[in-house]
Amino acid sequence: MSRTKIGFFDSGIGGISVLSHARRRLPGADYLYYADTDHVPYGTKSRGEIIRYSDEAVGFLAEQGADAVVVACNTATSMAIGYLREKYPFPIVGMEPAVKPAAAAHQGEKILVCATPVTIAGEKLHTLIEHNYASDDLPDLIGLPGLVTFAEQEIFDRGDVCKYLASVIDKERNYSAVVLGCTHFGYFSDSFRELLGDIDLIDGTKGTVNRLISVLESEHIPLPADEEGCMTFYQTGRPVTDPKTLAFFDRLLARAEKFQN
Ligand code: DGL
């Protein structure tokens, strides 16, 4: 029996943070990771472009034999998940900013939701907020496209990152929690804490992997857990073989793991 293949897709390297968690929970699967390097960032693109690129990515993963796909990108989920689910026959798990768990854990407290400009402006997020917050107690919303650029360039230096964050986040708002509504943002947990103190940082990684597991179970997709599966990376459909890029992805897996612990 061939091993279960799970496809992951993000505009770039953000979804590697979700892949890292999935691999720990489901070591027996084979993973295909598609970073749409030619088109990153999605967070400032039109809905039509995001649907087109997401379709190309998921179509590619389908050709490689994915049994299920995780759209490890809040922006692509916000714009394209309905289209993708209608088009493809296998399960597709999306990601959305973890507004619901943040509301449950921090009732009546000041929350900041950060994501890409497209996610922040999107109807999906506003509907999610309406369902989870009273109209006189809404969270603050902010787009942080600069963090996507930093992550893609592997700039994690707290000095540079905190300077950027301080220029866009008002720390006098005394937030109790920050929702990291973009998969690129989890790599900067240290900088968020340096600027805002020991706040609760909430992202959708664990919830997404829980959802993936329950979808695989309900679809009777087998998960042999005995021996570790393999990981294959693609950049906009081209297999990644160059050792420098693979080493970069390894560093991201390690960084994601460090912050998830
Ligand atoms: N990582 C993506 C997200 O979760 C999008 C980043 C971008 O391409 O702008 O929204």
Side-chain angles (χ1 to χ4, degrees), residues 128-149:
L128 194 62
I129 287 174
E130 267 165 40
H131 284 145
N132 288 284
Y133 288 90
S135 54
D136 58 352
D137 185 27
L138 296 174
D140 290 351
L141 304 180
I142 191 167
L144 296 175
L147 289 188
V148 177
T149 312

Side-chain angles (χ1 to χ4, degrees), residues 100-121:
K100 197 174 169 183
H106 295 277
Q107 267 181 23
E109 297 170 16
K110 203 72 224 155
I111 310 271
L112 173 66
V113 177
C114 47
T116 66
V118 163
T119 304
I120 293 290

Side-chain angles (χ1 to χ4, degrees), residues 59-86:
F60 177 86
L61 292 168
E63 279 167 21
Q64 309 312 306
D67 297 294
V69 166
V70 177
V71 179
C73 176
N74 295 262
T75 309
T77 300
S78 159
M79 294 292 125
I81 198 83
Y83 175 90
L84 298 171
R85 287 197 176 127
E86 236 172 68

Side-chain angles (χ1 to χ4, degrees), residues 10-11 14 40-44 72-76 116 119 148 181-184:
D10 180 41
S11 59
V40 68
Y42 282 12
T44 47
C73 176
N74 295 262
T75 309
T116 66
T119 304
V148 177
C182 168
T183 51
H184 282 74

